[in-house]
Amino acid sequence: MDPITVAIICGGIGIGIAGFMARYVLRQDQGSDKIRQISAAIKEGALAFLRREYRVLAIFVTAVAIALGMIPLLGWWVSLVFVLGAIASAMAGFIGMNIAIRANSRTAAATQKSLNDGLKVSFRSGAVMGMCVVGIGILSLSALYLTFGNSPDFLKIIPAFGFGASSVAIFARIGGGIFTKAADTGADIVGKVEKSIPEDDPRNAAVIADFVGDNVGDVAGMGADLFESYVSSIIATMALGMVAVFSINLGESLVPDISTAWFLPMLVAAGGIIASIIGIFAVRVGGKAAKMGALLNALRRGTVIASILTAVFAFLAVYFLNVNIGVFWAILAGLTAGVLIGESTNYFTSYSYKPTLQISNAAQTGAGTLITRGFANGLMSTLPPILLVVGTMLIAHHFAGIYGIAIAGVGMLATLGIQDATDAYGPVADNAGGIAEMAGLPPEVRDRTDALDALGNTTAATGKGFAIGAAGLTALALLLAYTQAVGIKFSDISLLDPKVIGGIFLGAMIPAVFCAMTLNAVGKTSFSIVNEVRRQFREIKGLMEGRAKPEYGKCVDICTKAAINQMIGPGILTIAAPIVVGLILGPVALGGFLIGAVACGFILAVTFANAGGSWDNAKKWIETGAYGGKGSEAHKAAVIGDMVGDPMKDTSGPSLNILIKLMAIVSLVLAPVLAGFGGLI
Amino acid sequence: MDPITVAIICGGIGIGIAGFMARYVLRQDQGSDKIRQISAAIKEGALAFLRREYRVLAIFVTAVAIALGMIPLLGWWVSLVFVLGAIASAMAGFIGMNIAIRANSRTAAATQKSLNDGLKVSFRSGAVMGMCVVGIGILSLSALYLTFGNSPDFLKIIPAFGFGASSVAIFARIGGGIFTKAADTGADIVGKVEKSIPEDDPRNAAVIADFVGDNVGDVAGMGADLFESYVSSIIATMALGMVAVFSINLGESLVPDISTAWFLPMLVAAGGIIASIIGIFAVRVGGKAAKMGALLNALRRGTVIASILTAVFAFLAVYFLNVNIGVFWAILAGLTAGVLIGESTNYFTSYSYKPTLQISNAAQTGAGTLITRGFANGLMSTLPPILLVVGTMLIAHHFAGIYGIAIAGVGMLATLGIQDATDAYGPVADNAGGIAEMAGLPPEVRDRTDALDALGNTTAATGKGFAIGAAGLTALALLLAYTQAVGIKFSDISLLDPKVIGGIFLGAMIPAVFCAMTLNAVGKTSFSIVNEVRRQFREIKGLMEGRAKPEYGKCVDICTKAAINQMIGPGILTIAAPIVVGLILGPVALGGFLIGAVACGFILAVTFANAGGSWDNAKKWIETGAYGGKGSEAHKAAVIGDMVGDPMKDTSGPSLNILIKLMAIVSLVLAPVLAGFGGLI
């Protein structure tokens, strides 16, 4: 059978499974009227935000599309494919959120029956998003191949799809991230810290905004993000196809022809879809009275099965396409490193291990020492992923040249379908818990959703490890593809060239400035939220006593406006910086710039994700009763730590994954322009 | 006159001025018996720490010296010069601290008379250290030149001096930094936060440890650090002498002969000494009733005069040595960039400007938002120094090749004599204020020392900007010297080589891991201090009421042991990492490793220094009465922010400056060994 047909069939199966899961979710009971009301308010806010966000993005995408089309060396086909990439990415986020905002009430209702029922509804809604992301990804890349595969411009056109997807992803991640964290910390500061009312208490005016934030940030933003990761890794490998054929780094060619070099990543990804589906169906626990440990084991079993099957499918693809076996070792190295990075993330962020327990311990001497310890933990946690990424890169390169580096990234992301499902169900469970609290459901329901949420935190941490590891490899592959496309030879791009060194320094600065902008945006917006919630407590009579209702819409509105206004700056920075460096310092300096950005961005992304994760779980550990439990001085210190970590782990950190790839993709797309241009100085 | 004679004379004048200043300080009144007692306790603790620290360093230095001597390609001369560098660096720290622990009581006594008298004593004690650092630096380098200048091994021997100096510096910075910040935050947590007693209250058991810490960290540690910066920048330029003669990057040779290439950085530095002396004498304010603004202006005038004169002297040196005028432009670029980096640091950390005021403003919504804003500010503050360093590098390279990059670093550091004086008087004033508080001097004395201290914070921020900017340029120069020494050609070290990329990633990780270790060390130690101070309040009857005295010695002891134990790990990491990378991945990957470490280390160093500085000053701004002033909720939030910033700005941050240079120097010293070695894989 034609490999492209296989890919299309696998993608179709993915979409089919998504439809099946969606049907299951939508058939579930929506719960009481109260639950429905709350869920409707969340839905309204989330959809309103997405409408406004996408309107702004439409303007941006149109402007860039016109610019691309008018550059003679690129043209309107590039422009069109860019738009398609943007639409596909936006769609992945939209579909994921659409099911999530329907699954939250249903999960709350199902959890009233049992933990297992709750898991089933929330996990299946996550699977809808996971399967949509990978299905749309494979199908749209197949369609592009069928349309442009024989065009001499294929390698100019295909990166434009990644550019479109990444552009939408970065805005969605930043905008959603600002929204969710500003609402979350704003609600916590007034609710938990000042008024000492529980989380998600209906008297808190920011509580609906907080729930909306989970959906627009942790679901829609993440969906676009993961879609971008998935297609970028495949595109990076395709872009290095020539290298595989002409075996620039190795003695013999790796693939029989260029088409095979293009098919292979798609087939590996397609195999990963089938493996993920089997893994997803393997996630089940026996009986109604399942315990947390059993749930975690069930999820783990699913991902392990998916990983092993992906390796098997990848081997079959390599074998039947008559590809050099070295390429399989590269894929296997990526797949293995992904699992190990996930485990190391878990070690540094779970309260089952020493690092996070020590952070909880430091809470006894206050927020200052707790924050120092958590930040140190985040910095230390860069050690294993860096060693694993460097090791994978060297192994992959040894066996399969620079094509191997790219396809190792595909291997790492091949199980995205199930990873994404385990990631995306967390926010649904979180929302369900909030709805349970607001709707006044019995406390055991809240306990169950908390258990689901805690489990979601663990799997989310693992997922973040995967995402950043794969981002590192993909960004390197895109950078290498850029140097090929722009015609930089081995001896051209020397570390002894001051422009290259200057590029590295400038590149290292961009992630720092980007984080500064996004952290500030969250800081500013949560400041506004705090003042609004305080104002409502002050001005609305009877609110504290529960006799009046807060104006939830006001907080949703503040977050919406602020998030959309403040996503623009950092987004534009990401796209403009490589263009400016390329035009002023030239294409060689731009190569240095990209590597500086990848290295420093990787360090910051891992630090931010894991420091944030460990503060969150250090707080959770105290909430289990350690050091005085909830309400103690230690707990207050831990709440402050969690607030500091929130924008780091959910706004700046994940956006950095996109940033390092997007800057490389921009460079790759503009390579034909930059190739003929030496730089102004 | 022979240039080396000029250098020796200038160095001698520097030492003479140091003696003159020291004599002035020692002749001042030591104050009341109470003041003397407190000062004696500080002296005892500080000297005890230094004795123990230097004993450990002696073992380390001996071990490394034996190792160096036994490597056939290096030998015993290299080993001896390494030991001399270590001794010189230790001496610079020791002398500086010795005058500081005598000047603190005298400053307290003088401040009883007037602010101006206090400034004079403390500033002159700072000048002793400043002049000793530069004097010893120039004289020892001159002595090395006279002894080995004609030896064919000169370029192998001279970096060993920098290696010795940097090794001592990194341990002194880390050890002193852990001591001072653990004591400081430990004292603050129990005193300010829990017991609500004033800073430096005699009932606080950690208060003497805090004063000792100022001396061993901010004076002795900084002295070794600045000595290392100064000699490393000169050595890096000397090591690139061949490049200047054979004009590898430019069409014509820059200097008439190799000796001139070696003299020039020494002459520029020597001119800087004279310029600094003139600048120091220009620091005076008329009358007894001088105001803060006048003080700051006086200090600024001093540094501006020194900078202008340094430029003039540098021009004369270039002119009379018949050196290409391009070299002067490189020096001027470095000098100018140093001043501008200092200004930008001031902008980001002083409460006269928006960034720090916004952090104070965020205190209204608690420590969480304040910390996020401050951290964002630190990250954002990397923008100007990176642009300035990259700009300087490109300008210097344009006019004077890679030799120009090195000498731009010398230009930036040439005014170190006065910079150091304005830096080192801060801790003396801080100590004097503490003594005033403990001795129960009238409140106006404390107000005056606070004013001096605040002024010291401003100048210290500027000084930190200089230090990190120069560290970046020096590290780059050392890296380039390493590639020359190891025989790497332009086309050998390509960014397309996966080993180079792997090196960059590994290098970027080291500063993160180093910061994690040092932050953790402070966190752990301050945790012990808090528990000890709490124990004393609990167990010593009548302590809180002032009827009993705390056991100050216990806290000094805890800090001493912890600091010495925990300085070893990060210090060894710094020295071992480049050796391991060089041996396993080979000399080319080591080049990538160094650039990754410099880029990421620079970003973290600037972020840590400026985030820490702005939290400190945001707190100070609130203490002037903003948002409720001292004791308000906003103030408590700001105190937490300051605690988080303390180890960042005074332990990890400044140590990073040394780290990036030390790793490059280790590589340079080991270049003869690595050159014949391809790496294990």
Side-chain angles (χ1 to χ4, degrees):
Chain A
M1 195 157 48
D2 181 16
I4 205 78
T5 316
V6 175
I8 291 173
I9 291 173
C10 293
I13 294 176
I15 299 285
I17 294 290
F20 169 79
M21 296 285 190
R23 201 159 145 256
Y24 172 85
V25 171
L26 294 176
R27 281 190 169 179
Q28 302 305 308
D29 174 30
Q30 290 189 57
S32 66
D33 277 353
K34 185 124 196 196
I35 293 181
R36 281 165 206 242
Q37 273 171 25
I38 301 166
S39 176
I42 299 172
K43 201 183 295 175
E44 188 193 316
L47 289 173
F49 172 80
L50 227 58
R51 257 196 306 276
R52 285 172 69 162
E53 185 183 59
Y54 283 3
R55 211 178 298 147
V56 173
L57 286 186
I59 298 170
F60 165 82
V61 168
T62 311
V64 174
I66 292 173
L68 290 174
M70 292 192 358
I71 296 173
L73 290 161
L74 301 176
W76 294 102
W77 285 119
V78 168
S79 167
L80 173 73
V81 172
F82 165 79
V83 174
L84 292 177
I87 292 173
S89 179
M91 223 163 73
F94 180 75
I95 294 175
M97 198 185 83
N98 241 303
I99 190 80
I101 54 182
R102 285 174 175 81
N104 53 13
S105 54
R106 291 169 170 90
T107 301
T111 313
Q112 288 182 279
K113 289 184 237 158
S114 81
L115 183 59
N116 204 11
D117 285 294
L119 175 67
K120 211 165 170 186
V121 177
S122 55
F123 184 67
R124 290 198 164 191
S125 79
V128 174
M129 179 152 113
M131 283 298 131
C132 279
V133 162
V134 295
I136 298 175
I138 282 292
L139 290 178
S140 44
L141 289 172
S142 301
L144 287 175
Y145 176 77
L146 290 176
T147 319
F148 300 104
N150 292 319
S151 151
D153 283 345
F154 183 58
L155 284 181
K156 218 156 84 178
I157 287 170
I158 194 91
F161 188 78
F163 182 20
S166 301
S167 300
V168 165
I170 200 150
F171 285 109
R173 250 306 184 196
I174 303 170
I178 294 171
F179 192 122
T180 179
K181 290 303 131 177
D184 190 3
T185 48
D188 281 358
I189 288 170
V190 187
K192 281 200 214 169
V193 179
E194 292 179 3
K195 300 280 173 187
S196 296
I197 57 176
E199 190 155 356
D200 304 329
D201 191 290
R203 291 168 291 179
N204 194 324
V207 71
I208 292 285
D210 185 12
F211 300 159
V212 171
D214 290 341
N215 288 294
V216 301
D218 298 345
V219 182
M222 191 176 67
D225 176 356
L226 292 173
F227 179 80
E228 180 275 336
S229 300
Y230 195 68
V231 298
S232 292
S233 73
I234 298 173
I235 289 171
T237 314
M238 288 176 145
L240 286 169
M242 280 296 176
V243 183
V245 179
F246 294 113
S247 59
I248 290 175
N249 294 74
L250 300 166
E252 44 182 330
S253 78
L254 295 164
V255 290
D257 51 55
I258 186 84
S259 298
T260 309
W262 293 339
F263 290 149
L264 189 63
M266 284 216 264
L267 272 192
V268 172
I273 295 182
I274 304 301
S276 292
I277 292 171
I278 297 171
I280 286 172
F281 280 104
V283 177
R284 49 176 73 228
V285 278
K288 291 252 165 198
K291 286 268 181 297
M292 271 293 290
L295 292 182
L296 183 57
N297 280 337
L299 286 177
R300 281 238 171 131
R301 192 171 55 237
T303 52
V304 167
I305 289 173
S307 299
I308 293 171
L309 286 177
T310 300
V312 173
F313 293 149
F315 178 79
L316 294 176
V318 165
Y319 182 79
F320 283 110
L321 287 177
N322 202 15
V323 169
N324 188 310
I325 186 73
V327 174
F328 172 69
W329 299 126
I331 297 169
L332 193 64
L335 195 58
T336 314
V339 174
L340 294 177
I341 292 175
E343 290 304 312
S344 109
T345 310
N346 194 27
Y347 172 76
F348 281 103
T349 58
S350 156
Y351 63 57
S352 309
Y353 300 98
K354 213 173 128 194
T356 302
L357 291 177
Q358 283 176 335
I359 298 168
S360 301
N361 184 40
Q364 292 175 86
T365 47
T369 40
L370 174 123
I371 289 170
T372 299
R373 292 303 293 264
F375 190 43
N377 181 48
L379 288 163
M380 187 58 94
S381 74
T382 58
L383 186 73
I386 284 276
L387 292 181
L388 286 164
V389 166
V390 171
T392 304
M393 186 185 64
L394 293 176
I395 291 171
H397 184 263
H398 175 76
F399 285 109
I402 65 175
Y403 183 77
I405 298 176
I407 206 151
V410 176
M412 200 178 274
L413 281 175
T415 54
L416 192 78
I418 185 164
Q419 288 298 338
D420 193 357
T422 60
D423 240 26
Y425 97 91
V428 173
D430 195 1
N431 252 246
I435 292 173
E437 182 83 37
M438 280 191 78
L441 298 188
E444 69 264 26
V445 177
R446 177 75 206 217
D447 287 346
R448 287 180 197 147
T449 58
D450 276 354
L452 287 176
D453 187 23
L455 184 62
N457 275 336
T458 306
T459 55
T462 321
K464 274 180 191 152
F466 262 89
I468 176 65
L473 286 175
T474 302
L476 282 177
L478 288 167
L479 151 70
L480 294 169
Y482 156 74
T483 59
Q484 301 297 314
V486 86
I488 293 175
K489 286 189 210 65
F490 189 86
S491 57
D492 289 342
I493 186 161
S494 167
L495 267 194
L496 294 181
D497 181 345
K499 281 195 190 175
V500 173
I501 298 178
I504 292 176
F505 266 66
L506 293 172
M509 176 195 75
I510 294 293
V513 170
F514 178 87
C515 287
M517 292 170 88
T518 45
L519 289 178
N520 261 335
V522 176
K524 271 187 225 167
T525 312
S526 59
F527 188 81
S528 315
I529 292 292
V530 167
N531 286 329
E532 173 62 22
V533 180
R534 280 184 186 162
R535 184 194 68 76
Q536 295 200 18
F537 271 118
R538 206 171 47 236
E539 294 179 6
I540 299 177
K541 290 215 166 71
L543 178 54
M544 192 65 195
E545 297 73 33
R547 285 181 287 105
K549 276 179 113 185
E551 302 164 24
Y552 301 119
K554 286 255 166 87
C555 288
V556 175
D557 228 46
I558 292 174
C559 283
T560 302
K561 277 183 198 143
I564 287 174
N565 282 335
Q566 294 183 96
M567 75 182 182
I568 297 172
I572 298 285
L573 169 78
T574 310
I575 293 165
I579 302 177
V580 171
V581 170
L583 291 180
I584 295 182
L585 295 176
V588 170
L590 179 54
F593 174 85
L594 294 176
I595 190 90
V598 176
C600 187
F602 191 93
I603 296 290
L604 286 181
V606 175
T607 302
F608 276 33
N610 292 348
S614 62
W615 279 316
D616 191 353
N617 283 330
K619 183 193 73 176
K620 289 219 159 71
W621 174 243
I622 291 174
E623 287 173 355
T624 66
Y627 310 116
K630 273 195 183 180
S632 64
E633 284 302 311
H635 185 242
K636 279 183 195 156
V639 169
I640 294 176
D642 185 31
M643 265 177 215
V644 173
D646 262 345
M648 290 169 69
K649 77 177 197 300
D650 291 320
T651 312
S652 306
S655 306
L656 281 176
N657 293 356
I658 311 173
L659 169 127
I660 58 177
K661 286 172 288 180
L662 178 51
M663 297 210 299
I665 287 195
V666 171
S667 310
L668 179 56
V669 170
L670 292 178
V673 181
L674 291 167
F677 197 84
L680 287 175
I681 59 170
Chain B
M1 195 156 48
D2 182 15
I4 204 78
T5 316
V6 175
I8 291 173
I9 291 173
C10 292
I13 293 175
I15 299 285
I17 295 289
F20 169 79
M21 296 286 190
R23 202 160 142 255
Y24 172 85
V25 171
L26 294 176
R27 280 189 172 180
Q28 302 304 307
D29 175 28
Q30 289 188 58
S32 67
D33 278 353
K34 188 125 195 196
I35 293 180
R36 281 164 206 243
Q37 274 172 25
I38 301 165
S39 175
I42 299 171
K43 199 183 295 175
E44 190 193 315
L47 289 172
F49 173 79
L50 227 57
R51 259 198 303 277
R52 285 171 70 164
E53 186 183 58
Y54 282 4
R55 213 177 298 147
V56 173
L57 287 187
I59 298 170
F60 166 82
V61 168
T62 310
V64 174
I66 292 173
L68 290 174
M70 292 195 356
I71 296 173
L73 290 162
L74 300 177
W76 294 102
W77 286 120
V78 168
S79 166
L80 175 72
V81 172
F82 166 79
V83 174
L84 292 178
I87 292 173
S89 179
M91 223 164 73
F94 181 73
I95 294 174
M97 197 185 85
N98 241 302
I99 191 78
I101 55 182
R102 286 173 176 79
N104 53 12
S105 55
R106 291 171 171 89
T107 300
T111 313
Q112 288 183 278
K113 288 184 236 155
S114 81
L115 183 59
N116 205 9
D117 285 294
L119 175 68
K120 210 164 170 187
V121 177
S122 55
F123 185 66
R124 291 198 163 191
S125 78
V128 174
M129 180 152 112
M131 283 298 133
C132 280
V133 162
V134 295
I136 298 175
I138 282 293
L139 290 178
S140 43
L141 289 173
S142 301
L144 286 175
Y145 177 77
L146 290 176
T147 318
F148 300 102
N150 291 318
S151 152
D153 283 345
F154 183 58
L155 284 182
K156 217 155 87 180
I157 287 170
I158 195 91
F161 188 79
F163 182 18
S166 301
S167 300
V168 164
I170 201 152
F171 285 109
R173 249 309 184 193
I174 303 171
I178 295 172
F179 192 122
T180 179
K181 290 303 131 176
D184 189 3
T185 47
D188 280 358
I189 288 170
V190 187
K192 281 200 217 170
V193 180
E194 293 179 4
K195 300 281 173 186
S196 296
I197 56 177
E199 190 154 357
D200 306 329
D201 191 289
R203 291 168 291 180
N204 193 326
V207 71
I208 292 286
D210 185 11
F211 300 160
V212 171
D214 290 342
N215 288 294
V216 302
D218 297 346
V219 183
M222 191 177 65
D225 177 356
L226 293 173
F227 179 78
E228 180 273 340
S229 300
Y230 195 66
V231 299
S232 293
S233 72
I234 298 174
I235 289 171
T237 315
M238 287 176 145
L240 287 169
M242 280 297 175
V243 183
V245 179
F246 295 112
S247 59
I248 291 174
N249 294 74
L250 300 167
E252 43 182 331
S253 78
L254 295 165
V255 290
D257 52 55
I258 185 85
S259 299
T260 309
W262 292 340
F263 289 149
L264 188 63
M266 284 216 263
L267 273 191
V268 172
I273 294 182
I274 305 301
S276 292
I277 292 171
I278 298 171
I280 286 173
F281 279 104
V283 177
R284 48 176 74 226
V285 278
K288 291 253 164 196
K291 286 266 180 300
M292 270 294 289
L295 292 182
L296 183 57
N297 281 337
L299 285 177
R300 281 237 172 134
R301 192 170 55 237
T303 50
V304 168
I305 289 174
S307 299
I308 293 171
L309 286 176
T310 300
V312 173
F313 293 149
F315 178 79
L316 294 175
V318 165
Y319 182 79
F320 283 110
L321 287 176
N322 201 17
V323 169
N324 188 309
I325 187 71
V327 174
F328 172 70
W329 298 125
I331 297 168
L332 194 64
L335 195 57
T336 313
V339 174
L340 293 177
I341 292 175
E343 289 304 310
S344 109
T345 310
N346 195 28
Y347 171 76
F348 281 102
T349 58
S350 155
Y351 62 58
S352 309
Y353 300 96
K354 212 172 128 193
T356 302
L357 291 177
Q358 283 177 334
I359 298 168
S360 301
N361 184 40
Q364 293 176 84
T365 47
T369 40
L370 173 121
I371 289 171
T372 299
R373 292 303 292 264
F375 191 44
N377 180 48
L379 288 163
M380 187 57 93
S381 74
T382 59
L383 186 74
I386 284 275
L387 292 181
L388 286 164
V389 165
V390 170
T392 304
M393 187 185 66
L394 293 176
I395 291 171
H397 183 264
H398 175 77
F399 285 110
I402 65 175
Y403 183 78
I405 298 176
I407 207 152
V410 176
M412 201 178 273
L413 281 175
T415 55
L416 192 78
I418 185 164
Q419 287 298 338
D420 193 358
T422 58
D423 240 25
Y425 98 92
V428 173
D430 195 1
N431 252 245
I435 292 173
E437 182 83 36
M438 280 192 78
L441 298 187
E444 68 264 25
V445 178
R446 178 74 208 217
D447 287 346
R448 288 180 197 148
T449 58
D450 276 354
L452 286 176
D453 188 21
L455 184 62
N457 274 338
T458 306
T459 55
T462 321
K464 273 180 191 151
F466 263 89
I468 176 65
L473 286 175
T474 302
L476 282 178
L478 287 167
L479 151 70
L480 295 169
Y482 156 75
T483 58
Q484 301 298 314
V486 86
I488 293 176
K489 286 187 210 66
F490 189 86
S491 57
D492 289 343
I493 186 161
S494 168
L495 268 194
L496 293 181
D497 181 345
K499 281 195 188 173
V500 172
I501 298 178
I504 292 175
F505 266 67
L506 293 171
M509 175 195 76
I510 295 293
V513 170
F514 178 87
C515 287
M517 293 171 88
T518 46
L519 289 179
N520 260 336
V522 176
K524 271 188 223 167
T525 312
S526 59
F527 188 80
S528 314
I529 292 291
V530 167
N531 285 330
E532 174 62 23
V533 179
R534 280 183 185 164
R535 184 195 67 77
Q536 294 199 17
F537 271 118
R538 204 168 51 234
E539 295 181 4
I540 299 176
K541 289 212 167 72
L543 177 55
M544 193 64 196
E545 297 75 32
R547 287 181 286 104
K549 277 179 111 183
E551 303 165 24
Y552 300 119
K554 286 255 166 87
C555 288
V556 175
D557 228 47
I558 292 173
C559 281
T560 302
K561 278 185 196 141
I564 288 174
N565 282 336
Q566 293 182 99
M567 75 182 181
I568 297 172
I572 298 284
L573 169 79
T574 311
I575 294 166
I579 302 177
V580 172
V581 170
L583 291 180
I584 294 181
L585 295 177
V588 170
L590 179 53
F593 174 84
L594 293 175
I595 191 89
V598 175
C600 186
F602 191 92
I603 296 290
L604 286 181
V606 175
T607 302
F608 276 34
N610 294 348
S614 62
W615 279 317
D616 192 352
N617 283 329
K619 183 194 72 178
K620 290 219 159 73
W621 174 243
I622 291 175
E623 286 173 355
T624 65
Y627 310 115
K630 273 195 183 181
S632 64
E633 284 303 310
H635 185 242
K636 280 183 193 156
V639 168
I640 294 176
D642 185 32
M643 265 177 213
V644 173
D646 263 345
M648 289 168 71
K649 77 177 197 300
D650 292 320
T651 312
S652 306
S655 307
L656 281 176
N657 294 356
I658 311 174
L659 170 129
I660 57 178
K661 288 173 286 180
L662 178 51
M663 296 210 300
I665 286 195
V666 171
S667 311
L668 179 57
V669 169
L670 292 178
V673 181
L674 292 168
F677 197 85
L680 288 175
I681 58 170

